[in-house]
Amino acid sequence: MIARRVRAHGRVQGVGFRDAMVDAATLAGAQGWVRNRRDGTVEAWVQGDESAVERVLAWARRGPRLAQVERLEVAEVEADATIAGFDRAPTA
């Protein structure tokens, strides 16, 4: 299992990014969470097998139809065995 912390920059709030990412991650079989940040970015924790995580990252680089992802920061992190499913988390 691999894990990545992701931060999407650009027009990523108010465009359905979080709900669409929940759907994309669930379809890919990934676990984690996604939330808005007060600085206007969207942050996510994505973990699972490598192919599932890569599918979610590929989706996040473009986002939903109304999003304009300018930059995607991706950092390797240790997987968290306590995470199950993929959820929307509160804004941080």
Side-chain angles (χ1 to χ4, degrees):
M1 180 181 296
I2 65 169
R4 301 291 183 264
R5 183 177 295 270
V6 180
R7 185 161 298 180
H9 297 260
R11 185 172 159 213
V12 293
Q13 289 191 12
V15 294
F17 198 100
R18 291 173 297 163
D19 289 334
M21 184 174 224
V22 169
D23 292 344
T26 301
L27 184 64
Q31 298 86 43
W33 49 261
V34 60
R35 66 183 174 193
N36 281 343
R37 300 282 304 190
R38 287 186 178 89
D39 65 2
T41 62
V42 170
E43 179 182 33
W45 181 283
V46 183
Q47 66 182 36
D49 64 48
E50 188 172 355
S51 64
V53 172
E54 289 302 322
R55 284 195 302 274
V56 176
L57 294 179
W59 176 89
R61 286 183 177 90
R62 64 182 182 280
R65 186 175 55 86
L66 297 176
Q68 293 176 345
V69 180
E70 295 173 2
R71 180 167 48 103
L72 193 69
E73 293 177 38
V74 180
E76 292 184 22
V77 291
E78 291 292 321
D80 181 345
T82 66
I83 295 175
F86 201 94
D87 300 307
R88 265 178 72 161
T91 298

